[in-house]
Amino acid sequence: MEKKLIAIVGLTASGKSELAIKLAKKFHGEIISADSRQVYKGLDIGTAKIKKGEMKGILHHLLSVVSPKKGYSVVSYQKAAYRAILGIFRRKHVPILIGGSPQYIYSVVDGWVLPKVVPDKKLRSQLEKLSIAELLWKLKKLDPARAKSIEQKNKRRIIRALEIVLTTGKPVSSLKKDPLPYPVLFLGIKRTKEEIKKRIHKRFLAMLKQGFLSEIKKLRKEGLSWKKIEGFGLEYRESAQYLQGKISKKEMIEKATKATENFARRQMVWFKKDQRIYWVKNYKEATNLILLSFKDIS
């Protein structure tokens, strides 16, 4: 069987995991997560991490691989993803890369030659003094493409993006590339804006029922600061603020869902410009495209 990779992308809450599992069962696949928060242990409910019982026997890679107390870079992810892909090929299975973190997806598929930028405490201390608005302004000047896709309220990630471009002198978009030497089929899950909005709201309410706030309290007991927890962004930021008494429950729900909707819009900025992506509505359309693209797959 020839080497090949399927990449499933799409907006947050669009249903990527469900589709990936169905396709993996049909085409002897294994799933590699490309989610910048699901790599952390203990960040389960708030990242909508798939549960063991939902995996339907399909092997999943790069979920819960690092402590939330530690950092995890795109460089680290890329290396781990390449190792996972090689292992899947050895087992004569099909790797299925899924996620909504564009940098994780493209670092693998397009083979970004990433510089090893170690944390610079002095630079970070200087940047930490600036407001989020000031940091975003700097990032827009130095790396416009990254500024468009980054989570706008996540100060930790904005500082890291600035650290990279200031250290290397180059924006991420100008990095050298060494694409994978085998065919990649990009599938995107097509959803209307209204559908995504409803799914985001429904998912967050489900997270709260499943014990999301207890998950955050557990992270605190394990030694994570409120600042660190808020740094995970999106639902974690607003929920941590609620638990600290900074906002009401109603505000938490409104702000968390709004922030996630804004993040979904930024994801689309990345994915919309990629002409390789075939947008599908369901499993049947995805299956037909795979069969048409890969003649030797069964």
Side-chain angles (χ1 to χ4, degrees), residues 186-218:
F186 266 98
L187 298 176
I189 299 181
K190 193 173 184 179
R191 300 277 186 191
T192 65
K193 288 180 182 179
E194 203 52 44
E195 278 181 306
I196 289 294
K197 190 174 180 180
K198 285 179 181 177
R199 289 174 70 93
I200 285 171
H201 187 75
K202 184 180 178 181
R203 187 180 70 175
F204 185 60
L205 293 180
M207 285 177 181
L208 295 175
K209 284 184 179 179
Q210 290 163 20
F212 179 38
L213 297 180
S214 295
E215 177 174 288
I216 293 176
K217 289 175 185 176
K218 187 180 177 185

Coordinates of all heavy atoms in Angstrom, one line a residue, residues 186-218:
F186 N -6.8 16.8 1.9 CA -7.4 17.7 2.8 C -8.9 17.6 2.8 O -9.5 17.9 1.7 CB -6.9 19.1 2.5 CG -5.7 19.5 3.3 CD1 -4.5 19.5 2.7 CD2 -5.8 20.0 4.6 CE1 -3.3 19.9 3.4 CE2 -4.7 20.4 5.3 CZ -3.4 20.4 4.7
L187 N -9.5 17.3 3.9 CA -11.0 17.4 4.0 C -11.4 18.4 5.0 O -10.8 18.4 6.1 CB -11.6 16.0 4.4 CG -11.3 14.8 3.5 CD1 -11.9 13.6 4.1 CD2 -12.0 15.1 2.1
G188 N -12.3 19.3 4.7 CA -12.8 20.2 5.6 C -14.3 20.0 5.9 O -15.0 19.7 4.9
I189 N -14.7 20.1 7.1 CA -16.1 19.9 7.4 C -16.9 21.2 7.2 O -16.6 22.3 7.8 CB -16.4 19.4 8.9 CG1 -15.7 18.1 9.1 CG2 -17.8 19.3 9.2 CD1 -15.8 17.5 10.4
K190 N -17.9 21.2 6.3 CA -18.6 22.4 5.9 C -19.8 22.6 6.9 O -20.7 21.7 7.1 CB -19.1 22.2 4.5 CG -19.6 23.5 3.9 CD -20.0 23.2 2.4 CE -20.4 24.5 1.7 NZ -20.7 24.3 0.3
R191 N -19.8 23.7 7.5 CA -20.9 24.1 8.4 C -21.2 25.6 8.2 O -20.3 26.4 7.9 CB -20.5 24.0 9.9 CG -20.1 22.6 10.3 CD -21.3 21.7 10.7 NE -21.0 20.4 11.2 CZ -21.8 19.5 11.4 NH1 -23.1 19.6 11.1 NH2 -21.4 18.3 11.9
T192 N -22.5 25.9 8.4 CA -22.9 27.3 8.2 C -22.4 28.1 9.5 O -22.2 27.4 10.6 CB -24.4 27.5 8.0 OG1 -25.0 27.1 9.2 CG2 -24.9 26.7 6.8
K193 N -22.3 29.4 9.4 CA -22.0 30.2 10.6 C -23.0 30.0 11.7 O -22.6 29.9 12.9 CB -21.9 31.7 10.2 CG -20.8 32.1 9.4 CD -20.8 33.5 9.0 CE -19.6 33.9 8.1 NZ -19.7 35.4 7.7
E194 N -24.3 29.9 11.4 CA -25.3 29.7 12.4 C -25.2 28.3 13.0 O -25.4 28.2 14.3 CB -26.7 29.8 11.7 CG -27.8 30.2 12.7 CD -27.5 31.4 13.5 OE1 -27.0 32.4 13.0 OE2 -27.8 31.4 14.7
E195 N -24.8 27.3 12.3 CA -24.6 26.0 12.8 C -23.5 26.0 13.8 O -23.6 25.4 14.9 CB -24.3 25.0 11.7 CG -25.5 24.4 11.0 CD -25.1 23.4 9.9 OE1 -24.2 23.8 9.0 OE2 -25.6 22.3 9.9
I196 N -22.4 26.6 13.4 CA -21.2 26.6 14.3 C -21.5 27.4 15.6 O -21.2 26.9 16.7 CB -20.0 27.3 13.6 CG1 -19.4 26.4 12.5 CG2 -18.9 27.7 14.6 CD1 -18.8 25.1 13.0
K197 N -22.2 28.5 15.5 CA -22.6 29.3 16.7 C -23.5 28.4 17.6 O -23.2 28.4 18.8 CB -23.4 30.5 16.2 CG -23.6 31.5 17.3 CD -24.3 32.8 16.7 CE -24.6 33.8 17.8 NZ -25.2 35.0 17.2
K198 N -24.4 27.7 17.1 CA -25.3 26.9 17.9 C -24.5 25.7 18.6 O -24.7 25.4 19.8 CB -26.5 26.3 17.1 CG -27.5 27.3 16.8 CD -28.6 26.7 15.9 CE -29.7 27.7 15.6 NZ -30.7 27.2 14.6
R199 N -23.6 25.1 17.8 CA -22.9 24.0 18.3 C -21.9 24.4 19.4 O -21.7 23.7 20.4 CB -22.1 23.3 17.1 CG -23.0 22.5 16.2 CD -22.2 22.0 15.0 NE -21.3 20.9 15.4 CZ -21.6 19.6 15.3 NH1 -22.8 19.2 14.9 NH2 -20.7 18.7 15.6
I200 N -21.3 25.6 19.2 CA -20.4 26.1 20.3 C -21.1 26.4 21.6 O -20.7 26.0 22.6 CB -19.7 27.5 19.8 CG1 -18.7 27.2 18.7 CG2 -19.1 28.2 20.9 CD1 -18.1 28.4 18.0
H201 N -22.3 27.0 21.5 CA -23.1 27.3 22.7 C -23.5 26.0 23.4 O -23.4 25.8 24.6 CB -24.3 28.1 22.3 CG -25.1 28.6 23.5 ND1 -24.7 29.6 24.3 CD2 -26.3 28.1 24.0 CE1 -25.6 29.8 25.2 NE2 -26.6 28.9 25.1
K202 N -24.0 25.0 22.6 CA -24.5 23.8 23.1 C -23.3 23.0 23.8 O -23.5 22.4 24.8 CB -25.1 22.9 22.0 CG -25.7 21.6 22.5 CD -26.3 20.9 21.3 CE -26.9 19.5 21.7 NZ -27.4 18.8 20.6
R203 N -22.2 23.0 23.1 CA -21.0 22.3 23.7 C -20.5 22.9 25.0 O -20.2 22.1 25.9 CB -19.9 22.3 22.6 CG -18.7 21.5 23.0 CD -17.6 21.5 22.0 NE -16.9 22.8 22.0 CZ -15.8 23.0 21.3 NH1 -15.3 22.1 20.5 NH2 -15.2 24.2 21.3
F204 N -20.5 24.2 25.1 CA -20.1 24.8 26.3 C -21.0 24.5 27.5 O -20.6 24.2 28.6 CB -19.9 26.3 26.2 CG -19.3 27.0 27.4 CD1 -18.0 26.6 27.9 CD2 -20.0 27.9 28.2 CE1 -17.5 27.2 29.0 CE2 -19.5 28.5 29.3 CZ -18.2 28.1 29.7
L205 N -22.3 24.5 27.3 CA -23.3 24.2 28.3 C -23.1 22.7 28.7 O -23.2 22.4 29.9 CB -24.7 24.4 27.8 CG -25.1 25.9 27.6 CD1 -26.5 26.0 27.1 CD2 -24.9 26.7 28.8
A206 N -22.8 21.9 27.7 CA -22.5 20.4 28.0 C -21.3 20.3 28.9 O -21.2 19.4 29.8 CB -22.4 19.6 26.7
M207 N -20.2 21.1 28.6 CA -19.0 21.1 29.3 C -19.3 21.3 30.8 O -18.8 20.7 31.7 CB -18.0 22.1 28.8 CG -17.3 21.7 27.5 SD -16.3 23.1 27.0 CE -15.6 22.5 25.4
L208 N -20.1 22.4 31.1 CA -20.4 22.7 32.4 C -21.2 21.6 33.1 O -20.9 21.3 34.3 CB -21.3 24.0 32.4 CG -20.6 25.3 31.9 CD1 -21.6 26.4 31.9 CD2 -19.4 25.7 32.8
K209 N -22.1 20.9 32.5 CA -22.8 19.8 33.0 C -21.9 18.6 33.3 O -22.1 17.9 34.3 CB -23.9 19.4 32.1 CG -25.1 20.3 32.1 CD -26.2 19.7 31.2 CE -27.5 20.6 31.2 NZ -28.6 20.1 30.4
Q210 N -20.8 18.5 32.5 CA -19.9 17.3 32.7 C -18.9 17.6 33.8 O -18.1 16.7 34.1 CB -19.2 17.1 31.3 CG -20.0 16.5 30.2 CD -19.4 16.7 28.9 OE1 -18.2 16.9 28.7 NE2 -20.2 16.6 27.8
G211 N -18.9 18.8 34.3 CA -18.0 19.1 35.4 C -16.7 19.9 35.1 O -15.7 19.7 35.7
F212 N -16.9 20.8 34.1 CA -15.7 21.6 33.6 C -15.2 22.4 34.8 O -13.9 22.5 34.9 CB -16.2 22.4 32.5 CG -15.1 23.3 31.9 CD1 -13.8 22.9 31.8 CD2 -15.4 24.6 31.5 CE1 -12.8 23.7 31.3 CE2 -14.4 25.5 31.0 CZ -13.1 25.0 30.9
L213 N -16.0 23.0 35.6 CA -15.5 23.9 36.7 C -14.7 23.1 37.7 O -13.7 23.5 38.2 CB -16.7 24.6 37.3 CG -17.5 25.6 36.4 CD1 -18.6 26.2 37.2 CD2 -16.5 26.7 35.8
S214 N -15.2 21.8 37.9 CA -14.4 20.9 38.8 C -13.1 20.6 38.2 O -12.1 20.5 39.0 CB -15.2 19.6 39.1 OG -16.4 19.9 39.7
E215 N -13.0 20.5 36.9 CA -11.7 20.2 36.2 C -10.7 21.4 36.5 O -9.6 21.1 36.8 CB -12.0 20.0 34.7 CG -10.7 19.9 33.9 CD -10.9 19.6 32.5 OE1 -11.4 18.4 32.2 OE2 -10.7 20.4 31.6
I216 N -11.2 22.6 36.4 CA -10.4 23.7 36.7 C -9.9 23.8 38.1 O -8.8 24.1 38.4 CB -11.1 25.0 36.3 CG1 -11.4 25.1 34.8 CG2 -10.3 26.3 36.7 CD1 -12.2 26.3 34.3
K217 N -10.8 23.5 39.0 CA -10.5 23.4 40.5 C -9.4 22.4 40.7 O -8.5 22.6 41.6 CB -11.7 23.1 41.3 CG -12.7 24.3 41.3 CD -14.0 23.9 42.1 CE -15.1 24.9 42.1 NZ -16.3 24.5 42.7
K218 N -9.5 21.3 40.0 CA -8.5 20.2 40.2 C -7.1 20.7 39.7 O -6.1 20.4 40.3 CB -8.9 19.0 39.4 CG -8.0 17.8 39.6 CD -8.5 16.6 38.8 CE -7.5 15.4 39.0 NZ -7.9 14.2 38.2

